[in-house]
Amino acid sequence: MYLVALTGGIGSGKSTVAARLVELGAILIDADAIAREVVEPGTPGLAAVVERFGSEILDDRGSLDRDALAAIVFADSEARKDLEAITHPLIGTVMAERMSKYAATDKVVLLDVPLLVEGGRSDFNSMVLVATRPDTQVRRLVELRGMTEDDARARIAAQASLEEKLARADHVIWNESTLDELKLRTDEVWDELIAEARAAANE
C-alpha cells in the first residue's frame, strides 16, 4: 500500500480532486464520511456528543443537526476541542480498520483528511494539498454554500493557515482557475504518485 494523505481547506475543491483521483485508480478512505458514520443515530459517538452538548444539537428525527453543532463549536475553541476529543478517536479506529485491508497490496490509498495538518498526522508516504487563497474560499462558501461572510471566515480561521499547509505538502494542486485546469493538474499529480509508489515498492 502506498498511503497518500489528501488535504485542503474548506471550499478548496478537495472533494473534486478526490473524485478525480478515484477515477484514476486510487482507493478512497474519506475521513468526513467516517465522521458522519460515527455519530449516526444509535451510535456511542452520538450519545457522547449529546451528553456534552445537549439534545438541542439533534433534529426532529434524532439525527445530529450539523448546522446547530457547527454554530457552537466554531464560536468556541474549547467546545471544538471537546468535540474532537469525542470523535477523533472513533474516526481513527475506523480509518485504521479500512486501511488494514490494503496493507499488503500495491494500491494507492487516498486518505482524505481535512484537518490533517492541524492533527499533526504524519504516518503516510506522501501528502497532496489542494490549495486555494482565503479570499477565494470565502467567496465559494458564500456563493455555493450560502454561508455569511463572517461564518465563512470563522471556519477558515479555525483551520491551519495556507502557509502551514504548503510547508508540509509534497504535492500542491492549486485550484484558482477552471475545472479543466484542476483536472489536468490532478492528473499530473496522479502520475507523480504512481511513480513514487513504484519506486517505494522497489526499495
Side-chain angles (χ1 to χ4, degrees):
M1 174 178 71
Y2 192 76
L3 188 60
V4 176
L6 175 68
T7 194
I10 185 170
S12 65
K14 178 173 59 63
S15 296
T16 301
V17 169
R20 178 58 183 166
L21 290 171
V22 168
E23 287 179 1
L24 293 168
I27 303 294
L28 177 64
I29 298 176
D30 186 344
D32 270 349
I34 295 171
R36 290 189 288 273
E37 292 175 24
V38 300
V39 290
E40 287 178 349
T43 61
L46 182 58
V49 172
V50 171
E51 182 178 355
R52 165 61 179 84
F53 294 99
S55 59
E56 63 267 22
I57 54 94
L58 297 176
D59 63 20
D60 294 339
R61 297 167 296 176
S63 297
L64 182 63
D65 183 333
R66 297 183 177 282
D67 289 339
L69 182 59
I72 297 171
V73 300
F74 284 105
D76 181 345
S77 62
E78 290 304 314
R80 187 168 69 252
K81 290 176 184 177
D82 288 346
L83 177 63
E84 291 170 352
I86 294 168
T87 59
H88 283 190
L90 299 171
I91 295 166
T93 297
V94 176
M95 292 178 78
E97 289 172 355
R98 295 188 183 172
M99 283 189 290
S100 69
K101 297 177 183 178
Y102 303 99
T105 74
D106 62 356
K107 299 289 188 182
V108 173
V109 176
L110 191 65
L111 202 60
D112 185 344
V113 184
L115 301 179
L116 181 79
V117 173
E118 293 83 347
R121 184 166 188 159
S122 60
D123 58 335
F124 46 81
N125 299 107
S126 191
M127 175 180 160
V128 176
L129 170 67
V130 184
T132 309
R133 293 194 304 267
D135 285 349
T136 304
Q137 288 176 267
V138 171
R139 177 176 54 77
R140 288 175 182 162
L141 293 173
V142 171
E143 293 179 358
L144 303 178
R145 300 197 193 181
M147 291 186 188
T148 66
E149 183 172 333
D150 286 345
D151 284 345
R153 294 193 181 280
R155 297 287 185 100
I156 294 166
Q159 298 182 348
S161 69
L162 178 59
E163 289 73 23
E164 290 174 285
K165 292 172 182 174
L166 287 169
R168 289 281 309 278
D170 299 297
H171 304 270
V172 178
I173 299 174
W174 280 98
N175 183 18
E176 290 283 350
S177 186
T178 66
L179 188 58
D180 285 344
E181 290 196 15
L182 179 63
K183 179 180 174 182
L184 179 63
R185 175 58 184 149
T186 301
D187 289 3
E188 290 173 350
V189 167
W190 173 252
D191 289 341
E192 294 165 7
L193 293 172
I194 289 294
E196 289 173 9
R198 288 174 179 160
N202 292 328
E203 288 179 353

